[in-house]
Amino acid sequence: MNIRLLTANDLPRLRKFWRENWSDEFVVAHGVIYHPDTLDGFVAFDGDEWVGEVTYTFSDVECEIVSLDSLREGQGIGTKLINAVVDESKKRNCKRVFLITTNDNLHALGFYQKRGFELVAVHRGAVNESRKIKPGIPLIGMNNIPLRDEIELEMNL
Ligand SMILES: CC(C)(COP(=O)(O)OP(=O)(O)OC[C@H]1O[C@@H](n2cnc3c(N)ncnc32)[C@H](O)[C@@H]1OP(=O)(O)O)[C@@H](O)C(=O)NCCC(=O)NCCS
């Protein structure tokens, strides 16, 4: 498995990847709609197969991670993708990397905290608002937990 930067040529495949893994070609977080063509990212690949992706966006001195997926869990893919974004953020002199995950995603909450991210905010009911824009967001999320809130995590650089 290796990783490389996403390019414009990857957009159709990234859209398909999001459709298959996040139910649509866009992601909604804190009221903002993110489309793949406005984001930077890395893809993890094994031969012709995509086994993971991360997308992110820079604004001023911050980097926001918009999506992170690993299709082969427990093999270091997620860690490698996160490290690549953190390295890129340092190169651009960012002061922090942050992301939104959801209240049901207990695995992601553990994963990020073990890698140096800290919980900074709970945005109560924010997913209920996102669902108005993206009705495909389920009412019941991972671990059979009602999917309601956004949780913000950050790493200060
Ligand atoms: C969260 C997610 C990205 C993690 O990806 P991943 O590829 O499984 O991550 P890693 O393999 O790097 O790490 C997972 C575990 O495997 C272990 N691991 C890593 N490499 C390993 C290896 N070579 N052999 C054995 N175990 C290994 C790690 O120690 C880690 O355990 P820890 O978190 O207790 O330290 C993945 O679970 C995922 O795609 N989830 C669904 C989408 C999602 O929730 N995305 C985030 C929402 S914002």
Side-chain angles (χ1 to χ4, degrees), residues 79 107-118 153 155:
T79 304
H107 179 61
L109 287 168
F111 173 84
Y112 288 120
Q113 289 183 84
K114 287 180 188 177
R115 281 150 191 84
F117 287 79
E118 295 177 40
L153 295 101
M155 179 191 284

Side-chain angles (χ1 to χ4, degrees), residues 21-22 51-53 65-82 99-102 105 107-112 114-115 142 153:
N21 293 284
W22 294 102
V51 294
E53 61 84 29
I65 294 174
V66 174
S67 67
L68 172 69
D69 282 295
S70 166
L71 298 186
R72 291 188 196 162
E73 294 179 305
Q75 297 180 20
I77 294 171
T79 304
K80 207 164 180 174
L81 290 168
I82 285 292
L99 62 97
I100 297 290
T101 190
T102 48
N105 199 342
H107 179 61
L109 287 168
F111 173 84
Y112 288 120
K114 287 180 188 177
R115 281 150 191 84
M142 298 178 192
L153 295 101

Side-chain angles (χ1 to χ4, degrees), residues 126-137:
V127 181
N128 295 335
E129 293 306 308
S130 297
R131 196 176 287 111
K132 292 175 187 167
I133 302 169
K134 188 176 172 181
I137 299 174

